[in-house]
Amino acid sequence: MFVRKKKNKSGVISVQVVDKSTGKYRLVKTIGSSNDSTEIERLFKDGHDFIQHYRGQQTINFAGHSFKDAVKQSINSITIEGINLLLGRIYSEIGFDEVKSDLLRQLVLVRLSHPASKLKTTQHLQRYFSISINEDKIYRYLDKLYKDHKEQLQQISFNHTRKILGGAMSVVFYDVTTIYFQIDDEDEIRKRGFSKEGKHQNPQIILGLLVGLEGYPLAYEIHEGNKFEGHTMLPIIDSFKTKYNLNKLVVIADSGLLSTGNVKDLIEKGYEFILGARIKNESASIKKKILSLDLSDKTSAIIRKPDGLRLVIGYTEKRASKDRYNRERGLVKLKQKIKSGKLTKSSINNRGYNKYLKLEGNVEISIDKQKYEQDAQWDGLKGYLTNTTLSKEKIINNYGQLWKIEKAFRVSKHDLKIRPIYHRLQSRIEAHITINFVAYKVYKELERQLKVKQADLSCEQAIEIAKTIYAVEITDPTTGRTYTETLLLTREQKILADLFGF
């Protein structure tokens, strides 16, 4: 196809688009006519613009063919294109393209859209994206990823997070989870220990995750599966502070990481902190002060401890209702066990609601109603231990963001299917977690952009819509030319495309 200027008998120049693909001249469109040279040049340019647009829109000439057979023979491939248009765009905007690896990009995007084992991943890449990669190539790349790109990817993520937070990076949240393996034997890092997933029979690792405000992932470390979780916090925070040359950090963590050693180390190293407090384990004098507080719904008070730390005590009716429900449910279960005769002397301990048990005589086990009633005094109370100068309201609000790190674990485990892990080598285990780390960062940025755009869509909904957007590659049987067309057929597909500009 080309643009020509044709002089008419009247002397006016017509600008036309002409096709000669069949060997004969065929007028496609007359763009316009004029005898003004400037206008003619403008029409000539419009003609070229029309050709570019037309080539992307033209239909296939099925003349002389069975329509059904011609369509079948003309289609080269049908692939999911929405994932690349949506998540691939965000991957690039964050800056992960700095790592020159198409395979990393493919592994991250397929982890977000079709999370599975490495074998299943190769099948999904072939089936949905027409990308042919064998499993051995993925395993070889995991070794390279661990060696060459792990730190770089965390640096890219940190830079982007700091940018969207306005350059501030003073508050970090830390928590741990356990990830199990489908194996029987332990090794240097995969050890049996207390499993938060109830997989006590499986060797596991401990994953420590550091996130910033709004739950943006910052750094991670893995530890032996039998390591006390309280010993995992300081190493990752120290490393993070040194790596990014941060002068001051406020560390927020739940009561599971509260220990005398951790508090001492945090103070000695100059960290400020807000930690979930175990108020029932405080001294008798502190507990007396806590129980003497007359707090109403959503109010709080400060108790100063002898060591100079502040203990913020908050109360909510919602928490009180939940505590009461859990306590009553625990009591019902204990009564059922007593009735069934399943409890023995070994059952009397301070684990959970077993603290309500007592021995009567030498053999009979019963409920200690006095302990049960005393426990009700604590319903609705939550403690926060801090050395900051923040107001009690800000302390409670900052601690309240810990649920976002819990969401990070939930998304990683359930949506991204980070576990179970089938790898044996530590380098490949870490590479697998790095891919999930990058995928979660893309997920969080998608979540942020949806919020900024005030879209009435969750991340999961946006990804599901993107998975329905296909690209069709077609070869015109009459010309031999190949075209690729992205199909936006439904209303929700078009809304998503408008939101993200594709």
Side-chain angles (χ1 to χ4, degrees):
M1 237 182 302
F2 62 93
V3 183
R4 74 178 179 187
K5 302 174 185 176
K6 183 180 180 182
K7 189 173 182 179
N8 300 327
K9 292 180 180 180
S10 62
V12 174
I13 302 295
S14 292
V15 178
Q16 301 173 332
V17 175
V18 178
D19 178 40
K20 197 186 176 185
S21 59
T22 60
K24 296 181 179 180
Y25 290 95
R26 180 174 67 89
L27 177 63
V28 176
K29 183 178 179 64
T30 297
I31 303 299
S33 302
S34 178
N35 55 13
D36 179 78
S37 59
T38 302
E39 177 66 9
I40 292 170
E41 289 307 314
R42 187 190 67 78
L43 293 172
F44 194 77
K45 182 179 179 300
D46 289 346
H48 282 288
D49 289 342
F50 172 82
I51 291 174
Q52 292 299 317
H53 177 74
Y54 181 83
R55 281 176 174 165
Q57 298 289 328
Q58 64 181 314
T59 57
I60 298 171
N61 180 9
F62 291 110
H65 295 271
S66 163
F67 181 80
K68 183 177 178 181
D69 290 341
V71 169
K72 282 184 178 180
Q73 293 169 9
S74 300
I75 297 174
N76 301 325
S77 66
I78 301 176
T79 57
I80 295 176
E81 182 63 13
I83 293 300
N84 184 56
L85 292 172
L86 176 66
L87 302 178
R89 175 192 181 120
I90 292 174
Y91 178 97
S92 300
E93 288 174 350
I94 292 170
F96 289 130
D97 279 340
E98 289 179 29
V99 176
K100 305 300 182 184
S101 171
D102 289 338
L103 181 52
L104 172 63
R105 181 189 181 93
Q106 291 156 0
L107 291 175
V108 169
L109 297 192
V110 78
R111 173 63 51 179
L112 285 156
S113 63
H114 300 83
S117 67
K118 298 301 178 291
L119 177 59
K120 283 282 188 182
T121 292
T122 62
Q123 296 170 1
H124 291 330
L125 285 170
Q126 178 63 56
R127 182 177 300 131
Y128 302 117
F129 303 96
S130 292
I131 298 171
S132 181
I133 300 173
N134 62 48
E135 195 177 4
D136 289 339
K137 184 176 180 181
I138 291 179
Y139 284 131
R140 289 194 299 272
Y141 178 70
L142 291 180
D143 297 332
K144 179 177 176 60
L145 173 59
Y146 172 74
K147 180 182 177 182
D148 298 339
H149 302 318
K150 175 191 169 187
E151 296 303 323
Q152 182 184 3
L153 289 165
Q154 290 193 60
Q155 179 73 58
I156 292 168
S157 177
F158 172 79
N159 292 342
H160 181 266
T161 296
R162 182 165 56 183
K163 179 181 177 181
I164 61 178
L165 291 178
M169 189 63 67
S170 59
V171 178
V172 295
F173 301 80
Y174 182 75
D175 204 355
V176 300
T177 192
T178 55
I179 301 175
Y180 68 90
F181 293 77
Q182 297 283 32
I183 59 170
D184 295 322
D185 298 329
E186 297 179 306
D187 55 28
E188 294 81 7
I189 192 165
R190 298 180 293 180
K191 303 282 188 182
R192 290 184 179 86
F194 174 74
S195 171
K196 296 191 175 186
E197 301 168 286
K199 300 287 184 178
H200 304 293
Q201 74 279 10
N202 294 83
Q204 64 181 19
I205 59 172
I206 291 177
L207 172 63
L209 181 63
L210 200 67
V211 306
L213 291 170
E214 300 302 324
Y216 299 117
L218 299 173
Y220 74 86
E221 292 289 348
I222 66 171
H223 303 272
E224 300 88 341
N226 60 356
K227 189 169 186 176
F228 170 54
E229 65 181 43
H231 294 161
T232 66
M233 181 170 67
L234 266 298
I236 188 173
I237 294 172
D238 287 342
S239 174
F240 179 78
K241 182 181 178 183
T242 301
K243 181 177 179 180
Y244 299 113
N245 194 28
L246 302 174
N247 294 323
K248 182 180 178 182
L249 281 179
V250 178
V251 180
I252 302 176
D254 72 12
S255 58
L257 297 161
L258 176 65
S259 69
T260 302
N262 274 345
V263 171
K264 181 181 177 183
D265 288 342
L266 285 167
I267 293 173
E268 287 180 351
K269 294 184 177 185
Y271 292 110
E272 293 188 348
F273 57 82
I274 301 170
L275 302 175
R278 295 170 177 160
I279 53 178
K280 294 181 185 178
N281 294 345
E282 290 288 347
S283 66
S285 61
I286 295 293
K287 286 195 288 187
K288 185 177 179 180
K289 289 181 180 179
I290 294 172
L291 293 177
S292 67
L293 295 172
D294 185 20
L295 298 176
S296 57
D297 187 31
K298 297 180 182 178
T299 61
S300 57
I302 295 176
I303 296 175
R304 295 191 178 276
K305 299 186 64 175
D307 57 9
L309 298 178
R310 294 190 301 160
L311 187 62
V312 177
I313 305 297
Y315 174 85
T316 65
E317 291 287 355
K318 183 178 180 181
R319 176 179 287 276
S321 177
K322 181 181 178 182
D323 290 344
R324 184 164 51 250
Y325 171 78
N326 288 337
R327 192 163 37 81
E328 291 172 352
R329 186 179 63 173
L331 185 63
V332 169
K333 289 184 177 180
L334 284 177
K335 287 180 177 179
Q336 290 173 345
K337 288 181 179 179
I338 290 174
K339 188 175 181 180
S340 68
K342 292 181 180 179
L343 296 178
T344 65
K345 285 178 65 175
S346 63
S347 302
I348 300 177
N349 51 53
N350 285 322
R351 296 174 191 161
Y353 298 107
N354 282 7
K355 61 188 174 185
Y356 300 146
L357 296 174
K358 67 177 181 178
L359 276 177
E360 289 187 343
N362 292 323
V363 293
E364 188 176 346
I365 295 175
S366 64
I367 302 293
D368 188 335
K369 292 185 178 179
Q370 185 178 3
K371 278 189 177 180
Y372 175 79
E373 290 168 358
Q374 287 175 348
D375 227 20
Q377 301 175 90
W378 299 92
D379 288 353
L381 296 174
K382 172 68 179 174
Y384 313 87
L385 186 68
T386 185
N387 65 343
T388 69
T389 58
L390 297 172
S391 69
K392 53 187 174 51
E393 290 78 17
K394 285 187 177 180
I395 288 168
I396 294 173
N397 287 338
N398 277 325
Y399 187 89
Q401 286 209 37
L402 263 179
W403 70 269
K404 292 179 180 177
I405 199 170
E406 295 172 359
K407 180 183 178 182
F409 285 136
R410 186 171 66 253
V411 170
S412 296
K413 288 182 175 182
H414 298 285
D415 297 313
L416 303 183
K417 293 183 171 56
I418 192 174
R419 54 83 169 113
I421 300 177
Y422 298 92
H423 302 296
R424 177 178 59 84
L425 300 177
Q426 182 172 344
S427 60
R428 290 182 178 175
I429 293 170
E430 292 218 32
H432 170 78
I433 292 173
T434 297
I435 290 170
N436 281 271
F437 177 88
V438 174
Y440 183 67
K441 173 63 178 178
V442 174
Y443 178 97
K444 284 297 296 182
E445 179 59 9
L446 170 62
E447 182 181 71
R448 186 189 74 84
Q449 291 194 20
L450 286 169
K451 185 176 179 179
V452 169
K453 297 173 189 296
Q454 299 182 327
D456 189 23
L457 289 172
S458 67
C459 287
E460 292 78 10
Q461 289 170 328
I463 291 171
E464 284 302 311
I465 294 169
K467 286 162 65 174
T468 68
I469 298 175
Y470 287 84
V472 181
E473 184 182 278
I474 302 171
T475 298
D476 188 331
T478 61
T479 66
R481 291 176 179 169
T482 298
Y483 309 95
T484 299
E485 186 75 19
T486 298
L487 305 179
L488 298 173
L489 305 177
T490 68
R491 179 175 175 272
E492 60 182 13
Q493 290 171 348
K494 293 172 183 176
I495 289 173
L496 191 67
D498 288 341
L499 279 171
F500 290 91
F502 60 78

